[in-house]
Amino acid sequence: MIGLWDTTGNEVVKALAAERRSAGGVASGMALTLIVVVDEKRVREAEAAATIAAAAHPCRLVVVVRSEIERDRNRLDAEIVVGGRLGPCEAVVTRMYGRLSLHAESVVMPLLVPDVPVVTWWHGEPPAEIATDFLGVVADRRITDSAQAADPVEALRQRARDYAPGDTDLAWTRITPWRTLVAGAFDTTSDRVTEATIVAPPTDPTAALMAGWLSSRLGITPRRVDSNEFPRMREVQLSCANGDQLTLTREDSMAVFRRTGQDDRALPLVRRPLGDELAEELRRLDADQVYAEALGATAGLRGLDQRPPQRVHVWKDPATAQRAEAGVTAHTGTSGEG
């Protein structure tokens, strides 16, 4: 590992090139560049997930930590790791302080691997509009996680309003096992589904996307039953035109499948580590049309996959926005006293 403190972008590029030469074959064959936007307290968690994902998708990992944007002095610290503890990837962990953190692209752009796709992953709450973050505009694929938001279901709706082909969300990735089991239940029948019920906590984004998926695939409006019995989606019930009832119920790391006239079956439904979820999303770098349809159904919006995939960067200074909001609050408070 190479540590560079109070450095420049040019020095980071030079140090990475030197480390690649010394590493030899470990540093060749990069399939993509993965940009991770993360808070300082979650850097190790993001690195652990990226290490798992890099085992399947060798990549250059660029971690961007933005801090203290109102600090008077700009500063850039960086760590460079090629191979080693992060597996078959090249990693540059950048910590940006002061106004430099608002121009992270000036440091990141020279670090992108030439002629390979760019994926940006926000490990935390993403910007409401991805176009306000140049690190999202430059990416071919953009991975968010609505579960990290204060209101996950509303965050999903915002993802639909802001959607462009190439976007995805880890809440969608987390229902892949559920979708596989539901689809597999119809391998031996072609009976039409007339009703669907989903039992889950009211703030579970995976349940919202499951309802959107069933709606977009089956042309029905699933019924939601709120339950805090389990921290995540608990059950999916389907009613068929021939009277059959199909139910998938989560039981720890298993799902119990019940069907009218058949014995109950126990099926695997293991919650995967974050790195496996990330690796799944890195398998495809084109737009996910099925996700777009499910997300659109969740938010009541049509034609998400027909939007242009490119975004135009919209400059936003969060420091200015915070000061403006504080000014409005102060003005409102003063008016209230009168």
Side-chain angles (χ1 to χ4, degrees):
M1 185 189 80
I2 297 176
L4 301 172
W5 316 119
D6 197 5
T7 187
T8 65
N10 286 338
E11 292 301 317
V12 174
V13 172
K14 291 178 183 177
L16 176 60
E19 191 70 2
R20 293 183 77 243
R21 285 194 296 270
S22 64
V26 176
S28 63
M30 297 294 102
L32 56 92
T33 300
L34 175 61
I35 302 172
V36 182
V37 183
V38 63
D39 292 334
E40 178 64 51
K41 62 184 179 181
R42 307 187 74 180
V43 169
R44 297 306 177 199
E45 186 178 307
E47 287 182 347
T51 301
I52 295 174
H57 312 280
C59 63
R60 178 173 295 171
L61 173 65
V62 182
V63 179
V64 177
V65 183
R66 297 165 166 143
S67 301
E68 304 175 25
I69 61 174
E70 294 188 346
R71 182 175 177 173
D72 293 336
R73 182 172 175 269
N74 296 325
R75 173 171 170 154
L76 171 64
D77 297 338
E79 299 174 44
I80 298 172
V81 182
V82 177
R85 64 183 176 86
L86 295 180
C89 74
E90 306 170 356
V92 181
V93 182
T94 62
R95 292 175 170 85
M96 304 178 195
Y97 303 91
R99 302 291 293 179
L100 174 63
S101 61
L102 299 180
H103 303 278
E105 67 275 6
S106 63
V107 176
V108 171
M109 292 296 286
L111 297 173
L112 303 182
V113 179
D115 303 320
V116 299
V118 177
V119 179
T120 298
W121 168 41
W122 288 268
H123 185 43
E125 188 166 0
E129 296 181 2
I130 289 178
T132 62
D133 190 342
F134 191 86
L135 300 181
V137 174
V138 75
D140 302 283
R141 280 280 266 170
R142 296 157 296 274
I143 304 173
T144 55
D145 190 351
S146 57
Q148 305 288 339
D151 186 341
V153 176
E154 176 56 32
L156 267 185
R157 297 191 187 103
Q158 177 57 32
R159 296 274 58 83
R161 291 188 287 267
D162 188 50
Y163 179 84
D167 292 0
T168 192
D169 194 276
L170 290 179
W172 173 250
T173 320
R174 292 183 186 116
I175 64 169
T176 297
W178 280 94
R179 291 188 292 122
T180 300
L181 294 179
V182 170
F186 292 91
D187 285 346
T188 58
T189 182
S190 58
D191 291 311
R192 182 173 60 90
V193 175
T194 56
E195 296 179 0
T197 301
I198 297 173
V199 181
T203 58
D204 184 1
T206 61
L209 279 175
M210 174 61 78
W213 178 65
L214 291 173
S215 176
S216 64
R217 296 290 98 184
L218 301 175
I220 60 176
T221 302
R223 184 171 69 96
R224 290 287 303 274
V225 175
D226 294 340
S227 172
N228 291 312
E229 176 187 358
F230 208 75
R232 299 180 298 280
M233 183 163 52
R234 173 68 165 170
E235 190 170 84
V236 175
Q237 305 168 5
L238 302 175
S239 300
C240 299
N242 66 348
D244 280 1
Q245 300 287 325
L246 291 77
T247 304
L248 275 168
T249 305
R250 184 198 296 270
E251 298 289 351
D252 296 324
S253 61
M254 302 294 291
V256 177
F257 176 61
R258 300 180 177 90
R259 181 169 188 159
T260 303
Q262 297 184 7
D263 294 334
D264 293 354
R265 286 188 288 164
L267 303 171
L269 189 64
V270 179
R271 187 174 187 186
R272 298 172 295 170
L274 179 61
D276 286 349
E277 295 170 352
L278 181 61
E280 178 183 328
E281 285 303 330
L282 296 181
R283 288 193 193 110
R284 60 176 305 161
L285 297 173
D286 58 332
D288 189 339
Q289 185 176 357
V290 178
Y291 165 67
E293 292 173 353
L295 183 64
T298 301
L301 299 174
R302 295 179 179 272
L304 267 59
D305 59 321
Q306 298 173 8
R307 295 179 181 178
Q310 293 82 18
R311 283 186 170 93
V312 177
H313 183 222
V314 177
W315 167 246
K316 179 181 179 181
D317 187 338
T320 302
Q322 289 170 5
R323 287 194 292 269
E325 183 178 346
V328 170
T329 303
H331 178 73
T332 304
T334 303
S335 301
E337 292 174 1

